[in-house]
Amino acid sequence: MRRAYQVAAVRSAERALMDLLPDGTLMRRAAAGLASVCGSLLARYPGHVYGARVVILTGSGDNGGDALYAGARLARLGAAVTALAAGSKVHAGGTAELRAAGGRVTEDLSGAGDLIARADLIIDGLLGIGGRGGLREPFAGLAAAAEAARTGSGASGGATVVAVDLPSGIDADTGAVDGPAVQADVTVTFGVIKPGLLIDPGAGHAGTVELIDIGLGPHLAGPPAALAPQSGDIDGLLPRPGPESDKYRRGVVGVLAGSDRFAGAAVLATGGAVRGGAGMVRVVTAPVPAAAVRQVWPEAVLTVHPDHGDWDLIGSVGRVQAWVAGPGMGTDPDAVARLAAILRTDLPALVDADGLTILSQNPDMLPRAAPTLITPHAGELSRLLGTDAAAIEAARLEHARRAAEQLGVTVLLKGSTTVVASPGDPTVLVNPTGTPWLATAGSGDVLSGLAGSLLAQGLDPAWAGVAAAYLHGLAARLAAAGTRRPGRRRTAGEPVPEAPIAAFDVVRSLPAAIRAVDG
């Protein structure tokens, strides 16, 4: 489990640890870890560290000091290190150490663009975890020059950018990016992960996150702000059938989905539920999707609802232990009545898609006493909260928490970073898996069925949501990567190319994803 703590908790832990250590020890620990990562990144250049061109962008804070001390270590190994002092007052001890090691520190930024363009490695030490808002000049110009060098338009043909603790311009607590910011290939963070490194848009600026242990752990107080489960954590969550299991003990999930216009939604949600491990899936739907579900998922138990009129949904379906409601079901008065019937039960329920539209039009349906999970994307959440979708994308953590408190339900906010927030819980859950190829019609229906299946098997809404998101994202990666071409070998660290996928490809890959977390 990757635990992320907010700035206040990190600062408190740092003070407590520094009281026990000689002056400067903590910064030197951080610098040693930073230099080690930078050295490994420079190994791709001839001669490794020796002769490599390193440019440090340093501001006035401790991050600049970390970068300067790390630069001194690299200079002693033969790197040509130049620090561009952009802050009003750079770290004196780090400056002296870098110069003593043969590096150069300059406050003259007139030639900064050329230096950065010729760099092999750029270290971003402009701002620390206390920085707020977008970068201003001269920091913004240095960040732009670093990005030009990183993308290959510089003389070095593609420099590597390493951020110290977090990319400058990123809000450490929320991941918000309110203007120009550094785009890093690698972020070397100290002591503990910060939420802004896990949650977009900040996470998208961080690149690969390397955590350096500097001894903060015993001094971190209170619950983490965010948790990002790893493979073993998901494996520990997933229910496994035992010798005494039967279909009822394994969980029965009801799926209210699909309409004659959106038949595929019922097929996909049912697929997610079947592949999610439920012992039985009961599907309530219209005649056209019922026929489609019967063809694709013959194990599903079908109930066809009438097009109009009074009908006892709960009494007609049979035993159910959790409900999924919404994908493709429509928003007419009969659909409203069906959703209301489910929400009046004392069973766990997941609401998605058309069900969320109904909730936005009938706010009195929430909260409810039974466990409830909603799975909106930013547009759907904007209708529930009466706010702008772009504002939600820019501050995903803030709006997921707000929605959980305002609606009284667990909220799984879908998107580039999936965030799960529960009312009254200061810790959000963040999913680390996925691929941009998941942005395809029907993928959310698969997620709904999968999460509903886990609800029926006894997981609480937050953990059902994050486990489903993890498996969903992993299945998409497996589907997009496919099978490697015979005879093609990849070098270490070379990414596996991905191809477009459809939602049903995710369904097909769910068993492989579950096997992968068990491995």
Side-chain angles (χ1 to χ4, degrees):
M1 194 77 71
R2 303 193 89 176
R3 291 171 169 80
Y5 284 81
Q6 291 188 309
V7 170
V10 175
R11 294 293 195 212
S12 177
E14 287 176 341
R15 288 192 296 269
L17 183 55
M18 285 190 290
D19 287 344
L20 304 175
L21 299 172
D23 287 348
T25 301
L26 210 57
M27 182 170 285
R28 290 183 181 276
R29 286 181 182 177
L34 174 61
S36 176
V37 173
C38 290
S40 68
L41 293 170
L42 286 170
R44 66 188 175 98
Y45 296 103
H48 303 295
V49 177
Y50 187 85
R53 294 161 295 190
V54 178
V55 173
I56 299 173
L57 312 179
T58 181
S60 302
D62 287 346
N63 273 31
D66 297 332
L68 291 167
Y69 278 115
R73 287 174 173 264
L74 296 174
R76 291 191 191 98
L77 294 173
V81 182
T82 301
L84 299 173
S88 57
K89 183 180 179 182
V90 297
H91 194 277
T95 297
E97 185 137 343
L98 177 56
R99 284 175 170 155
R104 187 164 71 98
V105 181
T106 178
E107 297 178 3
D108 181 6
L109 302 183
S110 60
D114 183 56
L115 277 170
I116 293 170
R118 291 186 286 110
D120 299 312
L121 183 79
I122 301 163
I123 302 176
D124 163 34
L126 292 172
L127 290 179
I129 58 176
R132 294 291 184 273
L135 297 178
R136 295 181 289 275
E137 294 297 345
F139 291 1
L142 294 174
E147 178 61 7
R150 189 185 76 86
T151 55
S153 56
S156 66
T160 301
V161 177
V162 178
V164 181
D165 220 8
L166 84 162
S168 296
I170 306 302
D171 189 302
D173 283 344
T174 67
V177 180
D178 295 326
V182 168
Q183 177 68 56
D185 297 294
V186 177
T187 295
V188 180
T189 197
F190 308 123
V192 68
I193 302 286
K194 288 74 183 176
L197 297 176
L198 298 178
I199 300 166
D200 277 331
H205 284 256
T208 300
V209 177
E210 298 281 354
L211 175 63
I212 303 298
D213 184 2
I214 57 174
L216 293 187
H219 305 282
L220 289 164
L227 293 174
Q230 306 301 291
S231 178
D233 303 310
I234 300 301
D235 181 38
L237 285 171
L238 295 180
R240 306 285 181 182
E244 302 301 318
S245 293
D246 59 34
K247 61 189 176 185
Y248 296 108
R249 288 191 177 105
R250 289 186 59 192
V252 180
V253 59
V255 177
L256 174 61
S259 59
D260 288 349
R261 182 181 181 189
F262 297 110
V267 174
L268 293 168
T270 303
V274 170
R275 295 298 196 201
M280 180 187 291
V281 181
R282 297 185 186 273
V283 182
V284 182
T285 191
V288 171
V293 171
R294 187 176 290 112
Q295 289 294 315
V296 180
W297 302 110
E299 57 270 85
V301 179
L302 284 160
T303 300
V304 179
H305 61 65
D307 288 338
H308 302 288
D310 293 335
W311 177 63
D312 181 9
L313 184 153
I314 303 303
S316 301
V317 172
R319 179 178 177 181
V320 168
Q321 288 156 292
W323 278 101
V324 174
M329 66 181 280
T331 58
D332 60 31
D334 290 301
V336 174
R338 292 175 195 127
L339 177 61
I342 287 173
L343 296 183
R344 283 195 297 268
T345 71
D346 59 359
L347 296 173
L350 180 151
V351 184
D352 185 31
D354 285 342
L356 297 174
T357 299
I358 292 172
L359 290 180
S360 70
Q361 297 166 350
N362 299 270
D364 57 327
M365 286 187 172
L366 294 178
R368 61 192 291 261
T372 308
L373 173 64
I374 65 171
T375 56
H377 54 61
E380 291 163 336
L381 191 61
S382 72
R383 294 193 290 272
L384 287 165
L385 295 180
T387 192
D388 182 63
I392 291 173
E393 292 286 16
R396 300 180 61 79
L397 179 60
E398 172 192 339
H399 286 91
R401 282 177 166 156
R402 175 187 160 196
E405 297 302 330
Q406 182 172 319
L407 302 173
V409 298
T410 297
V411 177
L412 185 154
L413 177 56
K414 297 182 288 195
S416 55
T417 304
T418 295
V419 178
V420 183
S422 297
D425 191 338
T427 303
V428 300
L429 304 176
V430 181
N431 175 49
T433 68
T435 168
W437 294 115
L438 260 177
T440 186
S443 64
D445 303 331
V446 179
L447 177 64
S448 295
L450 176 57
S453 178
L454 295 174
L455 280 175
Q457 293 172 77
L459 272 66
D460 71 30
W463 289 107
V466 79
Y470 188 102
L471 294 171
H472 187 254
L474 180 55
R477 285 183 185 174
L478 294 171
T483 304
R484 294 186 181 184
R485 210 163 54 243
R488 171 70 165 94
R489 292 187 177 182
R490 303 194 179 280
T491 59
E494 182 183 356
V496 176
E498 294 184 343
I501 56 174
F504 207 86
D505 296 322
V506 180
V507 176
R508 291 190 182 100
S509 294
L510 281 174
I514 293 171
R515 286 192 293 270
V517 300
D518 191 24

